[in-house]
Amino acid sequence: MFRNPYVAYGVLASPGILLVVGIATFLILQRTLLAPTAQAAPDQPIDFPHTVHAGMLELDCTFCHRAASEEPHAGLPALEQCMFCHTAVQPEDNEQIGLLLEAWNNYEGVEWERVHQLPDHVQFVHEAHINAGFECSTCHGDVEEMEKIKQVRDLRMDDCVECHLDNEAPIDCTTCHY
Ligand code: HEC
Ligand code: HEC
Ligand code: HEC
Ligand code: HEC
Ligand code: HEC
């Protein structure tokens, strides 16, 4: 029936088909490019082991992530805080400690790679969740057992909304979107 290639092309290019292709493409891009959070753990400039600090030494999470119960962002520690111990704790021939001392002595910060990162149009506030009684592990898993931090919970819109519904927290769009 579509012997004439121009007729066949006309069918392919019809608005209905373009729309379907468009939606499919959008959905694929949405789940890949726009996915807020890759599950793979990024390499960090210094291999900072939570196993040693939160695990073996049993430091409180908020010792380093101080803002978690007061502000939207939990925050990352400044190098001063590392040096609180590592001025003295300097295991010999430890390459990673070497990197830490080098950054400190050169007055450089460390540019930690983000592990969790929501898109800009979403707001998340730690303090509301901590004050509602959730543990860090509810969303971040057993960090004290992680040699290298990775994301373990989905934390996409469905996940957020489901927990909000279960806990009678607000679910209007403006709760989470600017
Ligand atoms: C001695 C300081 C220190 C302690 C204690 C500590 N952290 Fe961290 N945390 C860091 C540093 C430094 C990073 C950035 C490097 C990295 O991701 O490994 C980080 C990264 C993280 C991240 C990833 C941040 C992102 O980019 O998404 C999470 C989540 C986290 N910590 C949770 C915790 C939890 C939960 C605890 C307690 C069980 C804890 N941390 C204890 C220093 C600390
Ligand atoms: C409360 C004290 C304390 C603080 C604060 C602290 N550390 Fe440590 N850190 C230690 C101790 C103790 C060890 C274990 C040393 C050993 O293995 O002999 C250690 C080990 C390490 C190691 C080596 C792990 C290994 O065995 O290869 C690195 C890297 C490190 N810390 C980085 C950091 C960074 C970066 C910060 C700041 C974000 C930090 N530390 C904050 C006490 C601390
Ligand atoms: C209800 C889920 C939830 C709980 C509970 C939670 N977090 Fe988070 N955390 C997130 C989300 C979502 C992000 C990403 C935020 C963003 O990209 O704006 C995040 C990001 C972080 C980061 C990266 C830096 C930042 O501040 O955005 C750190 C560090 C962190 N969390 C530590 C903690 C610690 C420590 C606790 C416990 C005191 C905790 N979180 C409890 C969901 C949670
Ligand atoms: C484990 C359950 C849980 C998860 C997962 C969760 N939330 Fe919540 N969230 C709550 C509860 C409960 C409250 C209400 C706290 C209160 O009553 O102040 C809340 C409050 C909030 C608030 C503050 C609302 C306000 O007006 O005070 C924002 C914003 C928010 N959540 C965003 C998010 C986003 C974005 C995500 C996903 C990345 C998320 N939440 C995941 C349970 C959760
Ligand atoms: C409890 C928090 C929360 C609420 C309430 C919420 N969202 Fe979202 N929304 C998110 C998060 C987190 C993302 C980013 C992650 C993702 O794509 O799932 C998002 C992403 C989106 C996106 C972008 C999808 C993409 O791939 O970029 C749209 C559009 C959106 N939300 C619309 C809405 C509308 C409309 C409402 C109200 C009916 C709403 N949201 C309510 C948390 C929320």
Side-chain angles (χ1 to χ4, degrees), residues 46-69:
I46 298 175
D47 295 340
F48 171 80
H50 278 79
T51 43
V52 172
H53 298 86
M56 187 183 92
L57 299 175
E58 295 183 6
L59 296 176
D60 270 344
C61 309
T62 50
F63 178 82
C64 289
H65 305 294
R66 298 195 163 184
S69 55

Side-chain angles (χ1 to χ4, degrees), residues 20-21 23 51 71 89 95 97 101 104 112 115-116 122 126 144 156 176:
V20 171
V21 172
I23 290 173
T51 43
E71 287 172 29
V89 180
E95 194 190 335
I97 296 288
L101 296 178
W104 175 251
W112 303 108
V115 181
H116 303 75
V122 183
H126 274 88
E144 55 288 326
R156 287 190 211 237
C176 305

Side-chain angles (χ1 to χ4, degrees), residues 14-27:
S14 74
I17 288 178
L18 279 185
L19 188 65
V20 171
V21 172
I23 290 173
T25 310
F26 171 74
L27 288 175

Side-chain angles (χ1 to χ4, degrees), residues 40-111:
D43 283 333
Q44 297 293 344
I46 298 175
D47 295 340
F48 171 80
H50 278 79
T51 43
V52 172
H53 298 86
M56 187 183 92
L57 299 175
E58 295 183 6
L59 296 176
D60 270 344
C61 309
T62 50
F63 178 82
C64 289
H65 305 294
R66 298 195 163 184
S69 55
E70 284 138 39
E71 287 172 29
H73 287 286
L76 292 181
L79 287 191
E80 275 93 342
Q81 259 192 272
C82 314
M83 296 315 290
F84 180 77
C85 294
H86 286 289
T87 303
V89 180
Q90 300 188 354
E92 262 178 63
D93 289 334
N94 186 308
E95 194 190 335
Q96 300 303 318
I97 296 288
L99 293 173
L100 172 63
L101 296 178
E102 191 183 310
W104 175 251
N105 291 330
N106 293 330
Y107 305 97
E108 287 164 4
V110 173
E111 305 263 333

Side-chain angles (χ1 to χ4, degrees), residues 30 34 36 119 121-122 156-157 160-161 164 171-173 176-177:
Q30 184 193 14
L34 297 177
H121 59 84
V122 183
R156 287 190 211 237
M157 184 156 136
C160 310
V161 169
H164 278 215
I171 52 158
D172 32 354
C173 314
C176 305
H177 293 287

Side-chain angles (χ1 to χ4, degrees), residues 65 73-75 114 117-118 124 126 129-130 135-136 139-140:
H65 305 294
H73 287 286
R114 290 295 302 246
Q117 180 86 75
L118 295 174
F124 177 81
H126 274 88
H129 297 89
I130 304 309
E135 304 282 344
C136 311
C139 298
H140 295 301

